[in-house]
Amino acid sequence: MTKIKLCGLSRPCDIHTANELLPEYIGFVFWGKSKRYISPDQAEELKKTLSPSIKAVGVFVNESPEKIAELISRGIIDMAQLHGGEDNDYIKRLRQLTDAEIIKAFRVRTQADIEEAEKCAADHILLDSGMGSGNTFEWEFLRGIERPYFLAGGLDQRNAAETVKTLHPFALDVSSGIETDGKKDAAKMTAFVKAVRNRS
């Protein structure tokens, strides 16, 4: 079954909805330039009310491995998602500090980007059209991929079911597609989860 990650949660009501829907993952964004940024202290409060069955993923861009490991050790997040220029050497350093699973995101523009992603040392790879751009990329590039992947970019309740049926990704990662006016929308979150699970 295709797993679900609801990313960019920032309010107690977002967590409440997630607890009702029980996606496998939710995301907290710790990149300061993102409109979905929350502080570690805010995330810590939200994590306290998150269902233990849901893994909290911290989203980072070129953050120090020590800072990421600290948030994991404090129990604020369960996994790390890397969206910057982090390479396999960086991942190796992070693994020396924590046993938590690591997701590495790749911006897909050419077939070469897929080939690079398949060689990545992270536990999981995430394929996106850009850094939270909300747009899809050319899914034809995925035809020959052998490694399981998180898929992000341009997803919402209208195309989620067809995406699962066509591509069978390991997980779908959605953020802007479950928002209204820049805030998470409980109805859209619910519709997205139902669409994925009805096709999985």
Side-chain angles (χ1 to χ4, degrees), residues 169-186:
F170 172 76
L172 293 185
D173 187 332
V174 64
S175 187
S176 60
I178 50 172
E179 292 178 346
T180 298
D181 297 327
K183 298 294 184 183
K184 291 296 179 284
D185 182 316

Side-chain angles (χ1 to χ4, degrees), residues 11-146:
R11 302 173 297 169
C13 59
D14 301 338
I15 300 297
H16 176 76
T17 302
N19 287 342
E20 291 183 337
L21 298 173
L22 295 177
E24 286 76 13
Y25 312 95
I26 61 96
F28 295 137
V29 178
F30 296 111
W31 185 46
K33 294 182 180 179
S34 172
K35 63 184 179 182
R36 302 179 184 95
Y37 168 81
I38 60 173
S39 70
D41 288 343
Q42 288 173 297
E44 186 171 33
E45 288 303 306
L46 294 174
K47 180 65 157 57
K48 288 176 182 177
T49 61
L50 182 68
S51 168
S53 68
I54 304 172
K55 290 186 177 181
V57 181
V59 179
F60 303 93
V61 178
N62 299 324
E63 184 58 82
S64 73
E66 291 76 15
K67 179 64 177 292
I68 295 174
E70 177 194 352
L71 296 182
I72 293 169
S73 67
R74 287 171 58 187
I76 296 174
I77 55 173
D78 305 302
M79 299 171 61
Q81 180 172 315
L82 311 176
H83 265 270
E86 305 91 352
D87 57 13
N88 282 343
D89 287 338
Y90 177 102
I91 291 169
K92 182 179 179 180
R93 293 203 308 275
L94 182 55
R95 282 222 173 97
Q96 292 171 344
L97 300 171
T98 177
D99 294 328
E101 292 180 80
I102 300 167
I103 305 169
K104 177 68 180 95
F106 290 85
R107 183 178 179 185
V108 178
R109 289 158 292 188
T110 67
Q111 189 65 41
D113 296 321
I114 297 290
E115 294 168 6
E116 181 186 357
E118 291 212 88
K119 298 174 185 175
C120 180
D123 299 284
H124 305 280
I125 56 172
L126 182 148
L127 307 177
D128 197 354
S129 59
M131 199 177 295
S133 68
N135 299 316
T136 59
F137 60 88
E138 185 55 65
W139 286 348
E140 185 70 20
F141 292 140
L142 298 172
R143 185 176 295 274
I145 193 168
E146 297 181 2

